[in-house]
């Protein structure tokens, strides 16, 4: 039996991970199976244990709403997973469960390598202070931006999160955003899901070079539309991040780095 891998979540039907990982496996000639696995909302731990102990499961990608439960389940954590408080990649080796979080590596690679936009010395505004943002902060910080400001609807969540990083990151409500231009805005709120645009002060668009919506939508999001209206040159959505985080998970499991260009090119049609 091939080594078994899966993405686990609830719901899971919409996930593109099986197609992405099957393409990676084919390209790198790795004999493995990758499926989508629905866990009951109160049955995540049982499902993971069954997969690893009885179904030849070697690795799982974890998605909504189980990333924090996955974090709690691990015997060992990567640095990024420990800081994020969330795990999107589980590996099973010698009876132990290892947890990693590849979301931050995914977004940084998409921005800096796929789109050649260096984060070093840039002024970065991040919208949102939930799980999605927590998962990517440290890898972004490791690129040495000039400043990071986290703005959130509930200001206290942003200040608490920023405080975890000392004076390297500032945070507050949307009204507290410093009145200045930013080089880049990353939208990590769930606003796009609801068809909403976070209240970004117009002054933030001055000199703005890149906008990144961590959410993906074929027809664009309110945030990417906002970016278009302000003539932002580089406007990206979460599709590239999805492929790059998958590639890093694949590397953790198999020790081989899949190429992502051909998968990225096919993604909008999957
Ligand atoms: P996720 O894991 O996707 O980050 P989450 O932890 O529930 O989900 O966080 C959702 C984020 O989107 C939060 O920052 C939330 O703001 P609050 O902390 O104030 O709730 C933000 N959010 C959700 N809907 C929003 C909207 N319509 N406008 C602005 N921010 C929104």
């Amino acid at each position: 039996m091939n080594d078994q891998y899966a993405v686990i979540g609830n719901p899971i039907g919409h996930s593109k991970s099986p197609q992405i990982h099957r393409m990676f496996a084919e390209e790198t000639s790795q004999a493995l199976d990758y499926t989508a696995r629905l866990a009951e909302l109160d049955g995540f731990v049982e499902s993971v244990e069954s997969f690893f102990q009885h179904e030849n499961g070697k690795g799982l990608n974890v998605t909504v709403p189980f990333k924090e439960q996955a974090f709690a389940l691990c015997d060992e954590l990567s640095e990024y997973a420990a800081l994020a408080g969330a795990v999107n990649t589980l590996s099973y080796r010698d009876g132990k469960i290892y947890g990693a979080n590849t979301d931050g590596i995914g977004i940084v690679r998409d921005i800096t390598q796929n789109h050649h936009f260096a984060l070093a010395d840039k002024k970065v505004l991040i919208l949102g202070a939930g799980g999605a943002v927590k998962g990517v902060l440290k890898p972004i910080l490791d690129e040495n931006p000039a400043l990071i400001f986290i703005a959130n609807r509930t200001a206290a969540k942003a200040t608490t999160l920023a405080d975890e990083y000392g004076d390297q990151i500032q945070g507050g409500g949307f009204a507290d955003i410093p009145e200045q231009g930013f080089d880049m805005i990353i939208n990590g709120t769930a606003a796009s899901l609801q068809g909403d645009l976070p209240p970004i002060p117009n002054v933030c668009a001055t000199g703005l070079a890149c906008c990144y919506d961590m959410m993906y939508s074929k027809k664009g999001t309110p945030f990417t539309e906002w970016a278009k209206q302000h003539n932002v040159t580089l406007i990206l959505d979460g599709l590239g991040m999805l492929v790059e985080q998958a590639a890093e998970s694949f590397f953790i499991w198999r020790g081989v780095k899949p190429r992502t260009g051909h998968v990225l090119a096919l993604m909008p049609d999957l």
Side-chain angles (χ1 to χ4, degrees), residues 64-65 67-68 127-135 150-158 174 187-199 214:
V64 178
K67 289 184 185 184
E68 283 82 12
L127 312 177
V133 168
K134 262 182 131 174
I150 305 174
N152 194 46
R153 188 172 58 182
T154 313
K157 268 170 76 179
F174 288 103
N187 182 21
T189 71
S192 295
L193 280 176
Q194 303 146 19
D196 287 344
L197 177 70
M214 287 170 69

Side-chain angles (χ1 to χ4, degrees), residues 104-115 244 247-248 257:
I105 295 170
I107 192 171
V108 166
R109 275 200 197 136
D110 191 38
I111 295 166
T112 62
Q113 294 180 18
N114 296 344
H115 297 282
E244 294 299 337
E248 183 63 17
K257 274 217 159 83

Side-chain angles (χ1 to χ4, degrees), residues 102-115 117 119 124 126 132-133 135-140 143 184-188 211-215 236-246 248:
T102 64
D103 285 334
I105 295 170
I107 192 171
V108 166
R109 275 200 197 136
D110 191 38
I111 295 166
T112 62
Q113 294 180 18
N114 296 344
H115 297 282
F117 186 86
L119 286 162
V124 182
I126 300 181
V133 168
V136 302
L137 274 185
K138 176 64 173 151
I140 290 174
E143 294 295 302
M184 173 167 203
I185 304 180
I186 298 173
N187 182 21
C211 279
Y212 200 108
D213 200 325
M214 287 170 69
M215 214 200 91
L236 306 169
D237 66 26
L239 208 56
M241 174 180 172
L242 179 69
V243 174
E244 294 299 337
Q245 63 79 25
E248 183 63 17

Side-chain angles (χ1 to χ4, degrees), residues 92-224:
Y92 188 62
R93 289 192 302 272
D94 305 323
K96 275 193 172 178
I97 299 178
Y98 297 85
N101 192 319
T102 64
D103 285 334
I105 295 170
I107 192 171
V108 166
R109 275 200 197 136
D110 191 38
I111 295 166
T112 62
Q113 294 180 18
N114 296 344
H115 297 282
H116 310 289
F117 186 86
L119 286 162
D121 301 323
K122 297 287 175 18
K123 288 176 274 182
V124 182
L125 173 62
I126 300 181
L127 312 177
V133 168
K134 262 182 131 174
V136 302
L137 274 185
K138 176 64 173 151
I140 290 174
L141 198 57
D142 285 350
E143 294 295 302
N144 298 314
L147 78 87
I148 298 181
F149 189 91
I150 305 174
N152 194 46
R153 188 172 58 182
T154 313
K157 268 170 76 179
T159 43
T160 306
L161 185 53
D163 285 350
E164 285 175 28
Y165 291 87
D167 30 341
Q168 294 176 290
I169 300 181
Q170 271 72 51
F174 288 103
D176 303 318
I177 296 173
E179 291 208 4
Q180 62 171 60
F182 284 88
D183 298 300
M184 173 167 203
I185 304 180
I186 298 173
N187 182 21
T189 71
S192 295
L193 280 176
Q194 303 146 19
D196 287 344
L197 177 70
I200 313 158
N202 277 333
V203 63
C204 296
T206 312
L208 186 59
C210 178
C211 279
Y212 200 108
D213 200 325
M214 287 170 69
M215 214 200 91
Y216 157 68
S217 159
K218 256 185 190 165
K219 54 183 194 324
T221 71
F223 176 65
T224 57

